Amino acid sequence: MLSRIAESLFWIGRYVERADDTARLLDVHLQSLLEDPWSEEDLSCRSLLSVMDRPLPVAGLPVGREQVLEVLAYDRRAPASIAGALAAARENARRARETVSTELWECLNTTWNQLPAQVRPGRPHDYFTWVRERAAIVAGLVDSVTSRDDTWQFMVLGRSLERADMTARLLTTRALAGSSGPGWTTLLRSCGAHEAYLRTYRGIASDERAAGFLLLDRLFPRSVVHAIGQAEACLAALEPVADRSAVDDARRHLGLARMSLEYRPLVDVLDELPAEMERVQRACSAASDAIRGRYFPSGHVTTWVGELL
């Protein structure tokens, strides 16, 4: 597969997942502000922008939900925002048009065309619901009409890396906000995990179990460990004949992050949750860089050969 096509497929997976997870995170953030009118909105919004690696406004100027929504939800020029991620996913699908299915292209193109009508600043929750529904359609099409070849592997690899990173960011917001932040039940609902969690633990709820479910559950697809494991499986499938004595850099970064979570007592992980989630984010970033260097080399310059005279 051409490197430019592979890169576009990888970023389709990442951008759609980024839009979906950012919508979930913002929905939780706004809901917590509405449920607790006495919360420090400026502090909460600054913390969220920091977790999402967005520039903070000048100290002393108040930051409210309107600014956060503009930066993380509606800005079509920034790939870190929901609108920007959806636009970038559509652009990458256009570049890989000869590889992606017609159904997937039409879904992404329709989403892009509908986007301006969905951006209604007074109704952010409706916007978030629409984004989650469109992302679910994309995920369904990827899984139902795409052969399990390199096309599928690159899209799911991108999706899995982004999902691990964004779930880690979601857990970081809970750890930083403390008791004033969203509860674990709210976080479970935001990930679509609440019913699966109740079935797993037979209705017995506790903060520690809820955190462990989002971190370590090997069967729930949005847990950090499951997402990292899926990314490792995709990398193994893309490189089936590997050196018996070595593991590629991307799998090494992800494997170390996964083992740090799986083979430590959950209490120890929760005691250092912000640091652990930052370690997961760094591992995903390092793996992404390694994947780019291995599969999407950009240093090659095309040299055109003219006619011989």
Side-chain angles (χ1 to χ4, degrees):
M1 180 178 292
L2 293 175
S3 63
R4 67 172 180 84
I5 299 296
E7 185 172 17
S8 292
L9 296 171
F10 175 78
W11 283 105
I12 289 171
R14 290 207 70 159
Y15 280 130
V16 173
E17 185 65 27
R18 182 174 302 174
D20 185 8
D21 291 340
T22 303
R24 294 173 182 275
L25 194 151
L26 287 175
D27 211 6
V28 168
H29 175 75
L30 293 184
Q31 184 175 339
S32 66
L33 290 178
L34 291 173
E35 290 175 350
D36 185 7
W38 306 107
S39 63
E40 291 284 346
E41 182 170 342
D42 177 75
L43 179 61
S44 178
C45 291
R46 286 181 179 274
S47 175
L48 179 59
L49 290 174
S50 176
V51 167
M52 296 297 290
D53 292 329
R54 303 305 297 158
L56 294 176
V58 178
L61 296 177
V63 182
R65 64 194 75 181
E66 293 80 10
Q67 293 94 321
V68 168
L69 287 172
E70 182 59 36
V71 170
L72 295 178
Y74 304 139
D75 187 357
R76 298 182 67 173
R77 297 169 297 177
S81 77
I82 295 172
L86 292 175
R90 186 262 185 187
E91 176 61 20
N92 277 280
R94 186 187 65 80
R95 294 174 182 172
R97 182 64 190 87
E98 66 270 32
T99 303
V100 300
S101 68
T102 299
E103 290 90 343
L104 180 56
W105 160 250
E106 289 177 349
C107 177
L108 291 170
N109 193 48
T110 299
T111 301
W112 180 74
N113 285 321
Q114 291 177 352
L115 184 59
Q118 296 296 326
V119 177
R120 291 173 288 180
R123 305 182 66 176
H125 296 288
D126 291 344
Y127 177 60
F128 299 148
T129 299
W130 175 78
V131 171
R132 292 199 300 269
E133 289 175 351
R134 299 307 298 180
I137 294 172
V138 172
L141 290 172
V142 169
D143 289 337
S144 63
V145 301
T146 307
S147 296
R148 276 15 181 202
D149 54 11
D150 287 357
T151 297
W152 186 85
Q153 300 292 350
F154 276 114
M155 283 195 284
V156 174
L157 174 59
R159 181 176 72 189
S160 301
L161 279 180
E162 191 70 26
R163 181 172 290 176
D165 178 86
M166 292 298 287
T167 301
R169 292 177 191 271
L170 184 69
L171 293 171
T172 300
T173 61
R174 173 65 178 86
L176 294 179
S179 59
S180 63
W184 286 109
T185 299
T186 302
L187 292 185
L188 288 169
R189 291 185 187 279
S190 73
C191 292
H194 188 244
E195 293 180 0
Y197 166 78
L198 292 178
R199 286 194 296 270
T200 300
Y201 291 104
R202 303 182 184 277
I204 302 174
S206 74
D207 289 351
E208 182 175 330
R209 285 179 173 177
F213 189 81
L214 291 177
L215 282 168
L216 303 173
D217 193 271
R218 299 183 183 183
L219 301 181
F220 183 67
R222 287 192 175 275
S223 78
V224 175
V225 163
H226 186 282
I228 292 177
Q230 179 68 76
E232 290 180 280
C234 290
L235 288 168
L238 289 168
E239 199 75 51
V241 184
D243 187 342
R244 292 173 56 183
S245 63
V247 176
D248 65 83
D249 288 342
R251 291 172 65 188
R252 181 181 298 108
H253 291 302
L254 295 175
L256 288 172
R258 176 178 52 79
M259 288 188 293
S260 177
L261 295 174
E262 284 189 307
Y263 295 101
R264 291 180 59 197
L266 179 59
V267 175
D268 293 348
V269 174
L270 295 181
D271 285 343
E272 302 175 359
L273 190 57
E276 285 295 326
M277 295 302 95
E278 184 179 353
R279 185 176 292 113
V280 170
Q281 292 170 49
R282 287 200 305 267
C284 291
S285 178
S288 184
D289 290 340
I291 291 166
R292 184 183 301 112
R294 171 66 180 83
Y295 296 104
F296 321 136
S298 58
H300 301 293
V301 178
T302 301
T303 302
W304 295 98
V305 179
E307 289 185 34
L308 295 177
L309 298 177

